[in-house]
Amino acid sequence: AQSVTQLDSHVSVSEGTPVLLRCNYSSSYSPSLFWYVQHPNKGLQLLLKYTSAATLVKGINGFEAEFKKSETSFHLTKPSAHMSDAAEYFCVVSDPASGTYKYIFGTGTRLKVLA
Amino acid sequence: AAGVIQSPRHLIKEKRETATLKCYPIPRHDTVYWYQQGPGQDPQFLISFYEKMQSDKGSIPDRFSAQQFSDYHSELNMSSLELGDSALYFCASSSRDRGGKLFFGSGTQLSVL
């Protein structure tokens, strides 16, 4: 069975400092992994996705994530936080081998950026 | 804790039929979002409601309609179903007073034959 765990429900960083949002997954096969962002009272926006190509995935707005199979992790990083990065971030796992393509969403991490 | 409830879990319809999907948000959540996810595709935003009024509209076909009722549950009505409508439809709910974080339902798997 698939599952995804976002290790921090809230993360606060100062503007200009690095961002790290942690995600661990459980999947029976080679999963597809995604990060979505949700700005306040808005819908979801895809940041990036991993689908068994390069393990370091670059996304929009300077975000990137590294797939580490040995650690079953897919942490999201950004070198320098911007005020506009304040939002909710969801890690998502999907197991194409299961045939359902169903997304399993993490519980989200609220990123706060301090001036 | 209560979660977002969707019904039915699975639905099989034939072409040109109609379907109604239901979403029951977490209690005291005032906003509902609908997403459509085709096989192997990313979720596509369809429509959202806030306090029973449509708040945003995405790539929802004209054959589809939706509404949010006085008890805040929402229904997605789909008419003249096409094979391409086969997808997972999931909804999410949030509360604007509590920052608008999304909570997701498990989805309704619609198969159009």
Side-chain angles (χ1 to χ4, degrees), chain A residues 77-89:
Chain A
T77 60
K78 182 173 181 177
S80 176
H82 191 272
M83 297 298 289
S84 61
D85 295 327
E88 191 87 24
Y89 292 79

mmCIF file with all atom_site columns, all heavy atoms in Angstrom, chain A residues 77-89:
data_model
loop_
_atom_site.group_PDB
_atom_site.id
_atom_site.type_symbol
_atom_site.label_atom_id
_atom_site.label_alt_id
_atom_site.label_comp_id
_atom_site.label_asym_id
_atom_site.label_entity_id
_atom_site.label_seq_id
_atom_site.pdbx_PDB_ins_code
_atom_site.Cartn_x
_atom_site.Cartn_y
_atom_site.Cartn_z
_atom_site.occupancy
_atom_site.B_iso_or_equiv
_atom_site.pdbx_formal_charge
_atom_site.auth_seq_id
_atom_site.auth_comp_id
_atom_site.auth_asym_id
_atom_site.auth_atom_id
_atom_site.pdbx_PDB_model_num
ATOM 1  N N   . THR A 1 77 ? 13.340 21.424 -1.702 1.00 0.00 ? 77 THR A N   1
ATOM 2  C CA  . THR A 1 77 ? 14.272 22.452 -1.255 1.00 0.00 ? 77 THR A CA  1
ATOM 3  C C   . THR A 1 77 ? 14.229 23.664 -2.162 1.00 0.00 ? 77 THR A C   1
ATOM 4  O O   . THR A 1 77 ? 13.782 23.595 -3.312 1.00 0.00 ? 77 THR A O   1
ATOM 5  C CB  . THR A 1 77 ? 15.723 21.918 -1.213 1.00 0.00 ? 77 THR A CB  1
ATOM 6  O OG1 . THR A 1 77 ? 16.089 21.498 -2.540 1.00 0.00 ? 77 THR A OG1 1
ATOM 7  C CG2 . THR A 1 77 ? 15.862 20.753 -0.257 1.00 0.00 ? 77 THR A CG2 1
ATOM 8  N N   . LYS A 1 78 ? 14.690 24.766 -1.595 1.00 0.00 ? 78 LYS A N   1
ATOM 9  C CA  . LYS A 1 78 ? 14.871 25.999 -2.364 1.00 0.00 ? 78 LYS A CA  1
ATOM 10 C C   . LYS A 1 78 ? 16.008 26.762 -1.692 1.00 0.00 ? 78 LYS A C   1
ATOM 11 O O   . LYS A 1 78 ? 16.016 26.888 -0.470 1.00 0.00 ? 78 LYS A O   1
ATOM 12 C CB  . LYS A 1 78 ? 13.591 26.832 -2.391 1.00 0.00 ? 78 LYS A CB  1
ATOM 13 C CG  . LYS A 1 78 ? 13.711 28.102 -3.228 1.00 0.00 ? 78 LYS A CG  1
ATOM 14 C CD  . LYS A 1 78 ? 12.382 28.821 -3.362 1.00 0.00 ? 78 LYS A CD  1
ATOM 15 C CE  . LYS A 1 78 ? 12.540 30.080 -4.219 1.00 0.00 ? 78 LYS A CE  1
ATOM 16 N NZ  . LYS A 1 78 ? 11.275 30.796 -4.446 1.00 0.00 ? 78 LYS A NZ  1
ATOM 17 N N   . PRO A 1 79 ? 16.957 27.265 -2.461 1.00 0.00 ? 79 PRO A N   1
ATOM 18 C CA  . PRO A 1 79 ? 18.138 27.891 -1.843 1.00 0.00 ? 79 PRO A CA  1
ATOM 19 C C   . PRO A 1 79 ? 17.823 29.151 -1.049 1.00 0.00 ? 79 PRO A C   1
ATOM 20 O O   . PRO A 1 79 ? 18.452 29.416 -0.036 1.00 0.00 ? 79 PRO A O   1
ATOM 21 C CB  . PRO A 1 79 ? 19.034 28.217 -3.041 1.00 0.00 ? 79 PRO A CB  1
ATOM 22 C CG  . PRO A 1 79 ? 18.538 27.378 -4.160 1.00 0.00 ? 79 PRO A CG  1
ATOM 23 C CD  . PRO A 1 79 ? 17.083 27.180 -3.931 1.00 0.00 ? 79 PRO A CD  1
ATOM 24 N N   . SER A 1 80 ? 16.819 29.913 -1.524 1.00 0.00 ? 80 SER A N   1
ATOM 25 C CA  . SER A 1 80 ? 16.567 31.207 -0.902 1.00 0.00 ? 80 SER A CA  1
ATOM 26 C C   . SER A 1 80 ? 15.069 31.483 -0.901 1.00 0.00 ? 80 SER A C   1
ATOM 27 O O   . SER A 1 80 ? 14.462 31.604 -1.973 1.00 0.00 ? 80 SER A O   1
ATOM 28 C CB  . SER A 1 80 ? 17.314 32.300 -1.678 1.00 0.00 ? 80 SER A CB  1
ATOM 29 O OG  . SER A 1 80 ? 17.022 33.571 -1.151 1.00 0.00 ? 80 SER A OG  1
ATOM 30 N N   . ALA A 1 81 ? 14.488 31.563 0.263  1.00 0.00 ? 81 ALA A N   1
ATOM 31 C CA  . ALA A 1 81 ? 13.043 31.751 0.367  1.00 0.00 ? 81 ALA A CA  1
ATOM 32 C C   . ALA A 1 81 ? 12.645 33.179 0.019  1.00 0.00 ? 81 ALA A C   1
ATOM 33 O O   . ALA A 1 81 ? 13.341 34.149 0.341  1.00 0.00 ? 81 ALA A O   1
ATOM 34 C CB  . ALA A 1 81 ? 12.577 31.417 1.778  1.00 0.00 ? 81 ALA A CB  1
ATOM 35 N N   . HIS A 1 82 ? 11.476 33.262 -0.595 1.00 0.00 ? 82 HIS A N   1
ATOM 36 C CA  . HIS A 1 82 ? 10.889 34.556 -0.930 1.00 0.00 ? 82 HIS A CA  1
ATOM 37 C C   . HIS A 1 82 ? 9.553  34.657 -0.215 1.00 0.00 ? 82 HIS A C   1
ATOM 38 O O   . HIS A 1 82 ? 8.897  33.645 0.053  1.00 0.00 ? 82 HIS A O   1
ATOM 39 C CB  . HIS A 1 82 ? 10.702 34.650 -2.454 1.00 0.00 ? 82 HIS A CB  1
ATOM 40 C CG  . HIS A 1 82 ? 10.362 36.008 -2.939 1.00 0.00 ? 82 HIS A CG  1
ATOM 41 N ND1 . HIS A 1 82 ? 9.072  36.460 -3.020 1.00 0.00 ? 82 HIS A ND1 1
ATOM 42 C CD2 . HIS A 1 82 ? 11.138 37.027 -3.370 1.00 0.00 ? 82 HIS A CD2 1
ATOM 43 C CE1 . HIS A 1 82 ? 9.062  37.698 -3.472 1.00 0.00 ? 82 HIS A CE1 1
ATOM 44 N NE2 . HIS A 1 82 ? 10.304 38.065 -3.694 1.00 0.00 ? 82 HIS A NE2 1
ATOM 45 N N   . MET A 1 83 ? 9.141  35.878 0.066  1.00 0.00 ? 83 MET A N   1
ATOM 46 C CA  . MET A 1 83 ? 7.872  36.063 0.783  1.00 0.00 ? 83 MET A CA  1
ATOM 47 C C   . MET A 1 83 ? 6.715  35.374 0.057  1.00 0.00 ? 83 MET A C   1
ATOM 48 O O   . MET A 1 83 ? 5.802  34.828 0.696  1.00 0.00 ? 83 MET A O   1
ATOM 49 C CB  . MET A 1 83 ? 7.556  37.542 0.950  1.00 0.00 ? 83 MET A CB  1
ATOM 50 C CG  . MET A 1 83 ? 8.554  38.316 1.799  1.00 0.00 ? 83 MET A CG  1
ATOM 51 S SD  . MET A 1 83 ? 8.640  37.715 3.496  1.00 0.00 ? 83 MET A SD  1
ATOM 52 C CE  . MET A 1 83 ? 7.065  38.283 4.119  1.00 0.00 ? 83 MET A CE  1
ATOM 53 N N   . SER A 1 84 ? 6.761  35.381 -1.264 1.00 0.00 ? 84 SER A N   1
ATOM 54 C CA  . SER A 1 84 ? 5.674  34.789 -2.040 1.00 0.00 ? 84 SER A CA  1
ATOM 55 C C   . SER A 1 84 ? 5.638  33.267 -1.954 1.00 0.00 ? 84 SER A C   1
ATOM 56 O O   . SER A 1 84 ? 4.699  32.642 -2.459 1.00 0.00 ? 84 SER A O   1
ATOM 57 C CB  . SER A 1 84 ? 5.793  35.205 -3.505 1.00 0.00 ? 84 SER A CB  1
ATOM 58 O OG  . SER A 1 84 ? 7.011  34.742 -4.042 1.00 0.00 ? 84 SER A OG  1
ATOM 59 N N   . ASP A 1 85 ? 6.648  32.664 -1.327 1.00 0.00 ? 85 ASP A N   1
ATOM 60 C CA  . ASP A 1 85 ? 6.658  31.202 -1.160 1.00 0.00 ? 85 ASP A CA  1
ATOM 61 C C   . ASP A 1 85 ? 5.770  30.751 -0.007 1.00 0.00 ? 85 ASP A C   1
ATOM 62 O O   . ASP A 1 85 ? 5.530  29.540 0.149  1.00 0.00 ? 85 ASP A O   1
ATOM 63 C CB  . ASP A 1 85 ? 8.083  30.702 -0.921 1.00 0.00 ? 85 ASP A CB  1
ATOM 64 C CG  . ASP A 1 85 ? 8.994  30.919 -2.114 1.00 0.00 ? 85 ASP A CG  1
ATOM 65 O OD1 . ASP A 1 85 ? 8.499  30.855 -3.259 1.00 0.00 ? 85 ASP A OD1 1
ATOM 66 O OD2 . ASP A 1 85 ? 10.206 31.156 -1.895 1.00 0.00 ? 85 ASP A OD2 1
ATOM 67 N N   . ALA A 1 86 ? 5.298  31.680 0.798  1.00 0.00 ? 86 ALA A N   1
ATOM 68 C CA  . ALA A 1 86 ? 4.440  31.310 1.930  1.00 0.00 ? 86 ALA A CA  1
ATOM 69 C C   . ALA A 1 86 ? 3.172  30.657 1.406  1.00 0.00 ? 86 ALA A C   1
ATOM 70 O O   . ALA A 1 86 ? 2.400  31.271 0.660  1.00 0.00 ? 86 ALA A O   1
ATOM 71 C CB  . ALA A 1 86 ? 4.106  32.541 2.745  1.00 0.00 ? 86 ALA A CB  1
ATOM 72 N N   . ALA A 1 87 ? 2.961  29.399 1.775  1.00 0.00 ? 87 ALA A N   1
ATOM 73 C CA  . ALA A 1 87 ? 1.848  28.622 1.228  1.00 0.00 ? 87 ALA A CA  1
ATOM 74 C C   . ALA A 1 87 ? 1.825  27.267 1.922  1.00 0.00 ? 87 ALA A C   1
ATOM 75 O O   . ALA A 1 87 ? 2.647  26.985 2.792  1.00 0.00 ? 87 ALA A O   1
ATOM 76 C CB  . ALA A 1 87 ? 2.015  28.436 -0.280 1.00 0.00 ? 87 ALA A CB  1
ATOM 77 N N   . GLU A 1 88 ? 0.881  26.437 1.492  1.00 0.00 ? 88 GLU A N   1
ATOM 78 C CA  . GLU A 1 88 ? 0.816  25.048 1.949  1.00 0.00 ? 88 GLU A CA  1
ATOM 79 C C   . GLU A 1 88 ? 1.393  24.172 0.849  1.00 0.00 ? 88 GLU A C   1
ATOM 80 O O   . GLU A 1 88 ? 1.109  24.374 -0.328 1.00 0.00 ? 88 GLU A O   1
ATOM 81 C CB  . GLU A 1 88 ? -0.648 24.645 2.203  1.00 0.00 ? 88 GLU A CB  1
ATOM 82 C CG  . GLU A 1 88 ? -0.825 23.338 2.928  1.00 0.00 ? 88 GLU A CG  1
ATOM 83 C CD  . GLU A 1 88 ? -0.783 23.496 4.437  1.00 0.00 ? 88 GLU A CD  1
ATOM 84 O OE1 . GLU A 1 88 ? -1.075 24.593 4.927  1.00 0.00 ? 88 GLU A OE1 1
ATOM 85 O OE2 . GLU A 1 88 ? -0.466 22.502 5.121  1.00 0.00 ? 88 GLU A OE2 1
ATOM 86 N N   . TYR A 1 89 ? 2.226  23.211 1.240  1.00 0.00 ? 89 TYR A N   1
ATOM 87 C CA  . TYR A 1 89 ? 2.884  22.344 0.269  1.00 0.00 ? 89 TYR A CA  1
ATOM 88 C C   . TYR A 1 89 ? 2.483  20.892 0.533  1.00 0.00 ? 89 TYR A C   1
ATOM 89 O O   . TYR A 1 89 ? 2.531  20.421 1.679  1.00 0.00 ? 89 TYR A O   1
ATOM 90 C CB  . TYR A 1 89 ? 4.412  22.503 0.352  1.00 0.00 ? 89 TYR A CB  1
ATOM 91 C CG  . TYR A 1 89 ? 4.871  23.859 -0.116 1.00 0.00 ? 89 TYR A CG  1
ATOM 92 C CD1 . TYR A 1 89 ? 4.780  24.978 0.713  1.00 0.00 ? 89 TYR A CD1 1
ATOM 93 C CD2 . TYR A 1 89 ? 5.372  24.038 -1.401 1.00 0.00 ? 89 TYR A CD2 1
ATOM 94 C CE1 . TYR A 1 89 ? 5.173  26.228 0.271  1.00 0.00 ? 89 TYR A CE1 1
ATOM 95 C CE2 . TYR A 1 89 ? 5.781  25.297 -1.848 1.00 0.00 ? 89 TYR A CE2 1
ATOM 96 C CZ  . TYR A 1 89 ? 5.668  26.375 -1.005 1.00 0.00 ? 89 TYR A CZ  1
ATOM 97 O OH  . TYR A 1 89 ? 6.059  27.614 -1.457 1.00 0.00 ? 89 TYR A OH  1
#
